[in-house]
Amino acid sequence: MMADDDKPGLLGQIKAKLVGSKEKWAREGRLLTGVAAARSQRLPPGQRLVKDWPVLDLGVQPSVPADVWRLVVDGAVLNPLSWSFADFLAEPQVDDVSDIHCVTAWSRYDNRWTGVSAQHLLALVQPKPAVRHVILHGYDGYTTNVTLENFAAPDVVIAHAWEGRPLTREHGGPVRLIVPRYYFWKSAKWLKRIEFRADDKPGFWEVRGYHNQGDPWTEERYS
């Protein structure tokens, strides 16, 4: 679904400009400090702390009403599923507080998320033994990849609320993924599908010069 004011021609130009500037960052190694840090250092190298929550996207903010949203979980799993928003809310809910770190160099501390834990989802769908990778798909056509090991971390949340309020459209509502240990481009907005695979499949930014993993503390900004 497209934003209310989307004009395909103009949108294509805006998106191309945004993507081109980020690809240029990757080629130039912009923001890299060359300093690695232990996770005991709360603010990763090259990051600055912000109090607001900046909005970053591909120039598309799909309108996905909660009553039409669905999440498909499939691939190499024993129990694939498809949730409506009501189904999603009927699952056990968790609250988790985590920091977020954007590859554009801002970080925000102590964000409170509400949603379904990735660990609960894994217990339901039961990935097959060969699974090593998880591919996230958004309603805007965006994809990104994480390892199964990191998807299964206790702080990974499939979130519908931030600070006790429903996620807004601009921040990926009604549902987005939160993976605190990676740069925030890995936390896919407008989540539509979670795909489990034995082989890796780099996503939108990973094939455009950005690191396949994206650890902020070792500055894995670019490939």
Side-chain angles (χ1 to χ4, degrees), residues 35-48:
V35 176
R39 288 183 182 272
S40 57
Q41 174 182 311
R42 190 173 185 183
L43 189 66
Q47 297 294 108
R48 70 183 187 282

Side-chain angles (χ1 to χ4, degrees), residues 142-145 185-186 201-213 223:
Y142 180 81
T143 62
T144 190
N145 57 324
W185 89 76
K186 295 287 189 178
K201 187 178 181 182
F204 185 90
W205 287 119
E206 291 82 13
V207 300
R208 289 171 170 82
Y210 285 72
H211 201 280
N212 200 50
Q213 180 155 309
S223 55

Side-chain angles (χ1 to χ4, degrees), residues 8-212:
L10 178 61
L11 177 61
Q13 294 172 34
I14 294 171
K15 182 175 178 180
K17 184 176 180 180
L18 288 170
V19 172
S21 68
K22 296 300 188 298
E23 289 178 313
K24 187 170 184 275
W25 285 23
R27 291 193 300 271
E28 295 174 349
R30 185 172 174 180
L31 304 175
L32 290 173
T33 69
V35 176
R39 288 183 182 272
S40 57
Q41 174 182 311
R42 190 173 185 183
L43 189 66
Q47 297 294 108
R48 70 183 187 282
L49 194 61
V50 301
K51 297 297 185 181
D52 60 344
W53 185 2
V55 176
L56 293 168
D57 53 48
L58 297 176
V60 182
Q61 293 181 0
S63 176
V64 188
D67 61 353
V68 300
W69 175 86
R70 294 200 73 86
L71 176 64
V72 173
V73 184
D74 62 6
V77 296
L78 295 179
N79 303 310
L81 60 80
S82 176
W83 279 339
S84 67
F85 195 69
D87 295 332
F88 176 60
L89 294 182
E91 296 295 323
Q93 302 289 300
V94 298
D95 287 299
D96 190 78
V97 176
S98 61
D99 301 342
I100 54 178
H101 309 288
C102 182
V103 73
T104 59
W106 59 263
S107 294
R108 191 181 191 283
Y109 290 166
D110 297 323
N111 301 272
R112 180 165 62 91
W113 311 103
T114 304
V116 173
S117 73
Q119 291 186 338
H120 174 69
L121 180 72
L122 289 168
L124 292 177
V125 301
Q126 298 184 45
K128 295 178 180 179
V131 169
R132 296 291 181 272
H133 303 277
V134 185
I135 313 303
L136 296 315
H137 302 255
Y139 272 88
D140 58 345
Y142 180 81
T143 62
T144 190
N145 57 324
V146 298
T147 63
L148 177 63
E149 178 184 5
N150 283 297
F151 182 80
D155 57 0
V156 175
V157 179
I158 305 162
H160 62 80
W162 174 76
E163 301 300 335
R165 299 183 297 275
L167 275 173
T168 61
R169 171 178 167 182
E170 64 185 356
H171 287 303
V175 176
R176 70 173 298 159
L177 189 68
I178 303 299
V179 188
R181 67 179 55 198
Y182 284 152
Y183 284 118
F184 212 41
W185 89 76
K186 295 287 189 178
S187 296
K189 294 181 177 182
W190 307 292
L191 193 61
K192 178 180 183 179
R193 181 186 176 205
I194 301 175
E195 176 190 6
F196 290 87
R197 301 170 61 108
D199 59 320
D200 198 7
K201 187 178 181 182
F204 185 90
W205 287 119
E206 291 82 13
V207 300
R208 289 171 170 82
Y210 285 72
H211 201 280
N212 200 50

